[in-house]
Amino acid sequence: MSTPVGLANIQHIVVLMLENRAFDHMLGYLYSAEDNVSPRGHAFEGLTGRESCPGIDGNPVPVYPITPTTQNAYFMPGADPGEGFAATNAQLFGTETPSSDAVPTNKGFVTNYAEAITANKAKGWHVVAGTTADMIMGCYRPDALPVLSALARGYAVCDQWFCSAPTMTMPNRAFVCAGTSQGHLDDHTKIFTVPSVFGLMSDHSLAWKIYGYRNSPLTRLDFPDTTSAPGSAFGLFHDFQADAAAGELPAYTFLEPSWSSTGNIQHPNYDVALGEQLVLDTYRALRDGPAWPSTLLVVTYDEHGGCYDHVGPPSGATRPDASVGEFEFDFTRFGPRVPTVLVSPLIEAGTVFRGPGGSVPLDHTSILATVEHRWSLPPLTARDGAAPDVGAVLTLPSARTDDPLAGVTAPPPSTLPGGLAQQPSHLQKVHADLAARLIINGHTDGEPPPTLHTNADYDNYISERTRVWDASRT
């Protein structure tokens, strides 16, 4: 396999995957002032302002902009929306069990969110005061997300990038790393037994590294080939910044946010402003480093997390393997659209990028396809084997020297409510469960100790457990 011309100029691919936000929710208004046409004349499948969903009383609830002055703007939509396979079906089809030939209408977001708010309160999860079901129709205006919006306008935005499966976090993160979730459609499964892109690169003597934010990365414990990899293949965000500054980034870099409810994950209903700062810090580390002219940054989100999007995800996805899907799902339908921005000085400003005409759309396995095509690697599964790469977005013969984010700052952090600041996040619990399974001197904890209650408790347990495990391996 020959390397596509655009990709041949790329020596470093960097992926930052954030959490649980839909395309319209974050970028739907990006070009609304220009009638959804980019400066390059590219059509943009964004919001017109006429989109709506039926409310709990049956009357239409219109989409509306979240501005910097919207009350609790950076905690929107105020609660944790429904996610997972059943909730996603309800949002897309109006029923948790659609027929095999059903066409998504994306009209179930408000009614499903009403159920989620009730469920949040019953579980004791933090819900922002005054949250109502109509708030799921709020979508950020560009001036409310100045960093993500500036990257999307200054480089390329993908308005037809879909998550790989219509469900929650762990299956979609498995797809971006391994091209399959082995049939799983919920977060009960945390460990996958297939090769990942990291092991594939090791097999071909290509360097890679996974960086957590403040803790050793969760992805390290998801796959046999990452768990068995040397400690030098992992780092923290300050290590990433140092490596970028020194020109020592590997061929492939995968970045994780801080999973805490007080962190920069951007999972609803955590502080979106902190994630804006993370995106800016990631960009700045790369933009100011010596390898910038040959770097491609992909900023994306693992799944829509129950947030509103008006575009129905298509069918026609390639089954990754022979795994039997949970809930009788055959993996031939993509999940909802998620925000994805492609950043490189080899990309023209104002680009709206889609897959080649007539091909399957871009999804998370397009990241795998891009890595595989750049370094002539075999596909991991049939899904990434069929996925288009993003090489065609790299149209410039030489690197731009301008900086579309010059002078751009992230919104200031919001004041966290006390209940939210103490509440451990779902992914902290996932990470702690994986850490508890680590074998140290022939033994495991089996499960996290019952003394863990706050997000600080979980962070400390994960950090210490991983430290002791690392020490036991040397």
Side-chain angles (χ1 to χ4, degrees):
M1 179 191 301
S2 61
T3 303
V5 174
L7 284 177
N9 295 320
I10 295 297
Q11 302 300 323
H12 309 279
I13 296 175
V14 179
V15 174
L16 170 61
M17 176 168 270
L18 296 161
E19 278 286 299
N20 291 43
R21 299 282 172 168
F23 185 86
D24 278 341
H25 177 67
M26 299 294 273
L27 290 172
Y29 283 115
L30 183 70
Y31 287 121
S32 62
E34 295 88 356
D35 294 325
N36 286 326
V37 177
S38 83
R40 291 193 64 198
H42 294 173
F44 176 72
E45 198 163 9
L47 293 166
T48 65
R50 297 186 295 273
E51 295 81 7
S52 67
C53 279
I56 54 178
D57 60 0
N59 292 319
V61 178
V63 70
Y64 69 93
I66 301 169
T67 74
T69 59
T70 298
Q71 186 175 14
N72 296 310
Y74 296 103
F75 294 118
M76 292 290 282
D80 186 3
E83 55 179 295
F85 186 66
T88 301
N89 282 339
Q91 294 151 12
L92 299 177
F93 299 99
T95 173
E96 294 184 355
T97 56
S99 63
S100 59
D101 59 351
V103 176
T105 62
N106 292 40
K107 294 295 186 181
F109 280 90
V110 176
T111 51
N112 185 256
Y113 188 47
E115 296 176 4
I117 295 170
T118 299
N120 277 212
K121 293 177 178 177
K123 295 174 182 176
W125 295 356
H126 178 76
V127 175
V128 174
T131 296
T132 63
D134 295 6
M135 291 181 179
I136 201 66
M137 300 303 291
C139 297
Y140 285 99
R141 211 170 63 183
D143 57 337
L145 298 178
V147 176
L148 186 65
S149 299
L151 286 178
R153 295 177 70 101
Y155 297 98
V157 61
C158 300
D159 66 346
Q160 292 183 7
W161 185 295
F162 298 85
C163 59
S164 296
T167 189
M168 57 206 318
T169 290
M170 296 304 286
N172 276 296
R173 286 185 172 266
F175 266 97
V176 79
C177 293
T180 180
S181 66
Q182 296 184 276
H184 299 294
L185 285 165
D186 58 38
D187 288 353
H188 294 300
T189 299
K190 306 169 182 67
I191 296 176
F192 302 90
T193 59
V194 291
S196 74
V197 65
F198 309 106
L200 177 66
M201 296 189 77
S202 292
D203 290 345
H204 290 79
S205 301
L206 292 165
W208 56 270
K209 196 164 185 178
I210 306 173
Y211 299 86
Y213 194 73
R214 288 193 299 255
N215 261 325
S216 179
L218 185 158
T219 307
R220 181 180 186 181
L221 308 182
D222 285 340
F223 303 95
D225 50 23
T226 55
T227 304
S228 63
S232 59
F234 308 93
L236 304 182
F237 191 74
H238 65 79
D239 299 314
F240 161 73
Q241 292 173 305
D243 289 346
E248 296 177 354
L249 288 177
Y252 184 54
T253 295
F254 190 72
L255 298 172
E256 292 183 2
S258 167
W259 302 119
S260 167
S261 57
T262 61
N264 47 27
I265 186 175
Q266 288 194 331
H267 189 293
N269 52 359
Y270 308 157
D271 187 3
V272 171
L274 295 177
E276 277 276 283
Q277 186 65 56
L278 173 59
V279 174
L280 180 59
D281 290 344
T282 301
Y283 169 78
R284 188 55 59 202
L286 297 171
R287 174 65 177 74
D288 296 344
W292 173 240
S294 59
T295 296
L296 170 65
L297 167 64
V298 182
V299 180
T300 190
Y301 292 72
D302 54 16
E303 44 130 338
H304 78 304
C307 296
Y308 177 71
D309 190 75
H310 80 279
V311 173
S315 298
T318 298
R319 291 189 64 184
D321 48 36
S323 299
V324 177
E326 295 173 336
F327 313 114
E328 300 182 356
F329 184 63
D330 64 3
F331 289 90
T332 61
R333 174 163 50 87
F334 292 99
R337 286 195 306 175
V338 290
T340 303
V341 174
L342 306 176
V343 181
S344 170
L346 299 174
I347 297 174
E348 293 182 67
T351 296
V352 179
F353 184 72
R354 301 171 180 174
S359 76
V360 293
L362 300 164
D363 82 315
H364 289 332
T365 63
S366 292
I367 292 173
L368 295 177
T370 302
V371 172
E372 292 158 359
H373 296 172
R374 168 59 187 87
W375 285 288
S376 300
L377 304 176
L380 290 161
T381 71
R383 174 67 72 88
D384 54 300
D389 65 44
V390 303
V393 77
L394 303 161
T395 58
L396 297 178
S398 59
R400 293 162 48 185
T401 58
D402 65 312
D403 183 359
L405 268 71
V408 174
T409 59
S414 305
T415 301
L416 293 177
L420 182 59
Q422 293 297 313
Q423 178 180 299
S425 74
H426 168 63
L427 282 173
Q428 276 181 304
K429 294 180 178 180
V430 168
H431 199 174
D433 186 64
L434 290 169
R437 302 185 196 189
L438 292 173
I439 300 173
I440 300 174
N441 298 325
H443 301 281
T444 76
D445 278 359
E447 59 185 27
T451 54
L452 304 184
H453 300 294
T454 68
N455 70 58
D457 292 338
Y458 277 87
D459 264 356
N460 291 337
Y461 174 76
I462 293 163
S463 178
E464 180 62 13
R465 180 87 182 152
T466 306
R467 184 193 67 79
V468 174
W469 174 65
D470 269 331
S472 73
R473 301 170 73 211
T474 59

